[in-house]
Amino acid sequence: DQFFGHGLIDALAAVQAATELGGGMPIERPVIRVEPQTLELTPAQPSASVTVKNTGTGALTVAAVDVDVPWLSVNPTSGSEGTYTITADTTGLDDGLYLGVASFSSDGGAAAVTVRLIVGLPPITGGAVGTVYVVLVDRFGKRSAQATTSADQDYQFSIERVLPGTYRVFAGTDMDGDGFIDEPSEAVGAFPTLAEPEELRVSDNIDGLEFGLGFDLNLPGTAQGARADLGD
């Protein structure tokens, strides 16, 4: 509507525009975001990367990155937007499950990454979790196709008639029947890991996609695109 406009008002953008029109200095408000917010590390894969982003305006400065356990480190420990490497030193650690947190402090707020470290524990295999829905999610977060599998099929799956494109693969249970697979109490996973789902470029058949599901790792919003109505 050329007279009244339409849509939602961005309050910060409105204030910035008014300030600039009034001859004042532009208002800059950086906002930090770190992705992913959860990592799973092992002695075989002791390092992983996270990306620091500025979802606000202006320049973001990361003043410090602190860790709460001695076996965890982050490089670099300060800076700006970009990639930060989180590493677990398993030297001298007994077999078991360890948890740590890397905390990012910035002029755009704070953010944290939870690190789950598994030392010397063999993967749990062969457990039956009921019906599993395997879902393809396109790069816009929309469910593109899905398959259903179960223990009777040894949890093997095949998704047919997939259009060429870029997808991520999620899988999970829907024990409460509400059409969502990434909720607490639901087993959920992604290829190759839920912490860092990989984008697959599909132009031909792809075989050998193996990954696990688990109940003990809840990543809110990770499988948001897979949370479409599973009944469609």
Side-chain angles (χ1 to χ4, degrees):
D1 188 314
Q2 62 178 326
F3 298 106
F4 300 103
H6 66 278
L8 300 177
I9 295 176
D10 184 328
L12 176 60
V15 173
Q16 290 172 331
T19 301
E20 293 180 15
L21 288 174
M25 295 293 293
I27 298 175
E28 295 184 349
R29 183 185 177 186
V31 178
I32 190 173
R33 179 172 179 81
V34 181
E35 298 177 346
Q37 297 176 359
T38 306
L39 295 177
E40 183 172 305
L41 303 178
T42 66
Q45 187 178 356
S47 297
S49 297
V50 298
T51 302
V52 172
K53 301 179 179 180
N54 179 12
T55 60
T57 58
L60 175 73
T61 299
V62 177
V65 185
D66 300 310
V67 296
D68 65 343
V69 288
W71 49 265
L72 196 62
S73 63
V74 182
N75 182 42
T77 57
S78 62
S80 56
E81 296 181 70
T83 300
Y84 289 70
T85 301
I86 297 180
T87 302
D89 181 2
T90 61
T91 304
L93 295 181
D94 296 330
D95 291 355
L97 173 65
Y98 298 83
L99 295 176
V101 177
S103 300
F104 292 73
S105 302
S106 77
D107 58 353
V113 176
T114 300
V115 179
R116 184 173 181 264
L117 173 64
I118 302 175
V119 179
L121 298 179
I124 300 174
T125 59
V129 295
T131 301
V132 170
Y133 300 89
V134 185
V135 183
L136 289 186
V137 178
D138 66 22
R139 63 192 319 165
F140 302 104
K142 300 297 184 181
R143 179 174 59 89
S144 175
Q146 73 179 47
T148 304
T149 184
S150 65
D152 294 338
Q153 301 166 279
D154 292 327
Y155 289 109
Q156 298 184 37
F157 66 92
S158 176
I159 301 178
E160 300 178 353
R161 296 187 296 274
V162 177
L163 296 175
T166 301
Y167 303 91
R168 293 182 295 170
V169 184
F170 294 97
T173 60
D174 184 26
M175 293 183 177
D176 57 5
D178 67 350
F180 299 116
I181 68 172
D182 65 339
E183 297 179 316
S185 79
E186 309 279 24
V188 65
F191 177 80
T193 67
L194 188 59
E196 295 187 86
E198 179 181 326
E199 287 193 338
L200 300 175
R201 299 181 185 276
V202 177
S203 58
D204 203 343
N205 290 340
I206 298 179
D207 298 316
L209 299 182
E210 296 184 0
F211 56 96
L213 306 183
F215 290 93
D216 57 345
L217 184 59
N218 179 37
L219 300 181
T222 298
Q224 183 177 3
R227 298 184 61 182
D229 183 1
L230 296 173
D232 286 352

